[in-house]
């Protein structure tokens, strides 16, 4: 494609498309593929797109990585009466993207879902569930339209700052971007999310254990990496004032690239995980294989999502790995063990800032169920019946937040609803912070930095687009809604729905940008301290004694 040709209406960054299925006698196989280059290997990719346990769900989306190529696949479980298939067929249609600074496989998910529906619907009409060469014609058209044509991918792999990234309407469909789930991630993990943030910042090896469906865990991998992406992507093309205002504050280490998002991994990736760990870049992945729980030497942090269920208020459990002194005479004794890890009291100050931002869209119910299963009346009724003492760990966690808040002087409990379940168990944990009660007007303060995001008074009108939402570090940015005069004519139901969706997207965009800016400002502040060589004086007092008693020394 020449420079004079118009850009396509979809990204052209795909290097391979393939179909994997479960064979009754051969196991997982790749039964059809199309590649831009014969040098690209698809060996063992069938295990990543068909992980163990996926037969328990009807459909799913799996993110993965194959030799540095990011990929995504759409899984389907189809009923069949064919002999040897045990009543159903398991298959996935996936793609691999070209290597770039910022691969975005989620841009192809909707089209991939439509493609697999077209192919499988034709097979159901014919009564033959095994596709032949003619049945793959829609997939060939899909690949030819989106395959790589230019070395620079037509800008599909560039990164120009979070404002353009999240408000890009050229290729992205509003709400499809994984980073929009950042607020939901923080609500699920609670203050322990800062433990994940610190491990990502330090480029550690992070593994997430989950049960099917796996799409939420794959999104969690991408969102966790995005918390530090701006500070780790040293080769970023972004031309913001942050690099000019704070030169040399980007993270330095063995790797100049951000932490590697591996997505779904299986037992076939054990040797690969060992090799990735030696590069110093760090990685974050998810798995459904429980045997990884017995192999703590392969990772530094384990997040067990199976301990958090929709009908309970428990948090996911965090484990860190610790070395074990080998016993004399025991040749096969374990070298590492898992140890439960919780948030530190020093994290509370940053968590208070994040929670202040989360309150901005707390009235939007759709923002709390973006990754979880669809709510039903039975679960909703059960969640409302949960009392404050149902889960001892949740009570322990909330008491720690109160104590740490009082310790830091950042908690204000002048209301009976600060810690109360009077209006349902969902209110438990709503810490009241200092500042105005009206959280639609105020400032989002970034911990330890002078960066400030001003939140303009809220109205019920849709906000302006990215031109009013661009922000940079080191200066104040105003996010103001556009005021639309009330018309005398009644709006149609279609326009009302479109306006509500746009308003929801703008509110979600505002919250996500604010959270990312808070993480960036905190990281920049910590790096600025490390840049200045100073003499640190450590003073011991009664607070340090209590820290030792409560295990936060």
């Amino acid at each position: 494609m020449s420079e004079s040709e118009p850009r396509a209406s979809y990204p052209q960054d795909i290097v391979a498309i393939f179909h994997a299925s479960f064979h009754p006698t051969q196991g997982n196989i790749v039964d059809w593929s199309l590649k831009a280059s014969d040098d690209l290997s698809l060996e063992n990719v069938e295990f990543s797109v068909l992980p163990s346990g996926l037969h328990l769900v009807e459909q799913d989306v799996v993110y993965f990585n194959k030799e540095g190529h990011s990929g995504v696949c759409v899984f389907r479980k189809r009923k069949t009466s064919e002999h040897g298939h045990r009543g159903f067929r398991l298959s996935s249609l996936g793609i691999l993207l070209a290597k770039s600074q910022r691969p975005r496989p989620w841009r192809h998910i909707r089209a991939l879902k439509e493609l697999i529906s077209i192919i499988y619907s034709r097979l159901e009409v014919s009564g033959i569930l095994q596709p032949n060469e003619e049945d793959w014609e829609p997939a060939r058209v899909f690949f030819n339209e989106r395959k790589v044509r230019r070395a620079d991918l037509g800008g599909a792999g560039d990164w120009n700052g979070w404002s353009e990234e999240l408000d890009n309407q050229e290729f992205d469909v509003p709400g499809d971007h994984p980073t929009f789930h950042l607020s939901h991630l923080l609500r699920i993990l609670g203050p322990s999310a800062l433990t994940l943030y610190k491990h990502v910042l330090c480029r550690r090896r992070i593994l997430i254990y989950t049960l099917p469906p796996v799409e939420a865990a794959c999104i969690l991998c991408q969102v966790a990496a995005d918390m530090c992406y701006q500070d780790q992507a040293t080769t970023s093309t972004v031309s913001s004032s942050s690099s000019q205002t704070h030169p040399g504050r980007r993270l330095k280490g063995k790797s100049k690239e951000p932490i590697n998002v591996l997505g779904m991994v299986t037992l076939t990736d054990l040797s690969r995980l060992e090799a990735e760990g030696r590069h110093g870049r760090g990685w974050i992945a998810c798995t459904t294989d429980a045997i990884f729980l017995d192999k703590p030497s392969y990772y530094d942090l384990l997040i067990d999502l199976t301990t958090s269920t929709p009908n309970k208020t428990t948090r996911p459990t965090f484990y860190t790995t610790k070395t074990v002194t080998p016993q004399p005479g025991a040749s096969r004794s374990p070298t590492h063990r898992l140890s439960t890890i919780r948030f530190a009291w020093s994290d509370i100050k940053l968590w208070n800032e994040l929670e202040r931002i989360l309150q901005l869209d707390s009235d939007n119910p759709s923002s709390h169920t973006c990754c979880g299963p669809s709510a039903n009346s039975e679960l909703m009724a059960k969640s409302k019946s949960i009392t404050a003492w149902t889960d001892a760990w949740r009570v322990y966690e909330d008491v720690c937040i109160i104590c740490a808040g009082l310790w830091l002087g950042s908690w204000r409990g002048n209301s009976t609803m600060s810690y109360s379940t009077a209006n349902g168990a969902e209110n438990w944990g709503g810490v009241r912070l200092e500042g105005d009660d009206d959280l639609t007007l105020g400032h989002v303060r970034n911990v330890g930095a002078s960066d400030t995001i001003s939140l303009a008074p809220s109205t019920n009108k849709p906000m302006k687009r990215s031109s009013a939402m661009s922000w940079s570090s080191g200066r104040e940015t105003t996010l103001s809604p556009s005021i639309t005069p009330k018309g005398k004519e009644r709006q149609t139901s279609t326009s009302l729905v479109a306006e509500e969706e746009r308003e929801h997207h703008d509110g979600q965009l505002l919250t996500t940008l604010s959270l990312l800016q808070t993480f960036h400002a905190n990281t920049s502040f910590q790096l600025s301290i490390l840049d200045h060589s100073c003499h640190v004086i450590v003073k011991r007092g009664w607070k340090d004694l209590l820290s030792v008693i409560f295990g936060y020394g």
Side-chain angles (χ1 to χ4, degrees), residues 12-164:
Q12 296 178 330
D13 54 356
I14 296 180
V15 295
I17 183 173
F18 61 92
H19 184 267
S21 60
F22 177 79
H23 193 274
T25 58
Q26 302 179 27
N28 295 352
I29 60 172
V30 176
D31 47 24
W32 179 84
S33 64
L34 198 60
K35 300 182 292 185
S37 173
D38 294 335
D39 298 333
L40 184 63
S41 174
L42 297 178
E43 184 180 3
N44 293 332
V45 72
E46 62 271 19
F47 298 103
S48 298
V49 300
L50 292 172
S52 59
L54 212 59
H55 64 280
L56 299 176
V57 297
E58 298 294 329
Q59 56 185 7
D60 204 354
V61 175
V62 183
Y63 291 83
F64 60 97
N65 188 289
K66 174 62 177 175
E67 298 179 355
H69 295 274
S70 297
V72 65
C73 74
V74 177
F75 166 80
R76 289 291 186 270
K77 176 181 176 182
R78 298 173 292 160
K79 294 183 179 180
T80 181
S81 57
E82 296 174 293
H83 176 71
H85 285 276
R86 300 181 181 180
F88 51 82
R89 277 180 173 267
L90 307 177
S91 55
S92 293
L93 183 64
I95 56 174
L96 283 177
L97 272 60
K99 297 180 180 179
S100 64
Q101 179 187 357
R102 178 71 174 175
R104 301 175 178 89
W106 52 85
R107 288 179 169 177
H108 302 276
I109 289 181
R110 293 206 177 192
L112 205 59
K113 289 181 178 180
E114 295 177 359
L115 176 61
I116 197 173
S117 298
I118 292 174
I119 296 176
Y120 286 169
S121 60
R122 293 181 179 179
L123 295 176
E124 292 176 358
V125 172
S126 62
I128 302 176
L129 298 184
Q130 181 61 35
N132 53 38
E133 285 299 321
E134 296 180 356
D135 296 324
W136 295 118
E137 185 60 28
R140 293 190 186 94
V141 175
F142 176 89
F143 178 72
N144 291 329
E145 291 176 345
R146 298 170 181 256
K147 69 178 181 180
V148 174
R149 286 179 169 82
R150 299 172 52 177
D152 60 356
L153 307 181
D158 297 340
W159 189 76
N160 300 299
W162 283 120
S163 182
E164 182 175 339

Side-chain angles (χ1 to χ4, degrees), residues 237-297:
T237 59
V238 61
S239 57
S240 64
S241 61
S242 58
S243 300
Q244 302 172 2
T245 307
H246 305 294
R249 286 193 182 181
R250 292 192 179 276
L251 297 178
K252 299 178 181 179
K254 295 181 180 179
S255 178
K256 295 182 179 180
E257 298 177 335
I259 188 172
N260 196 7
V261 181
L262 301 181
M264 178 58 58
V265 295
T266 61
L267 292 178
T268 60
D269 298 307
L270 286 177
S271 58
R272 178 191 178 190
L273 294 180
E274 285 183 327
E276 291 286 348
R278 291 191 293 266
H279 295 163
R281 180 180 177 182
W283 54 262
I284 179 168
C286 59
T287 186
T288 58
D289 293 321
I291 195 172
F292 273 100
L293 301 178
D294 299 326
K295 298 181 178 294
S297 61

Side-chain angles (χ1 to χ4, degrees), residues 459 461-462 464 481-485:
T459 65
K461 302 299 185 296
K464 292 181 180 179
S482 61
I483 302 178
T484 304

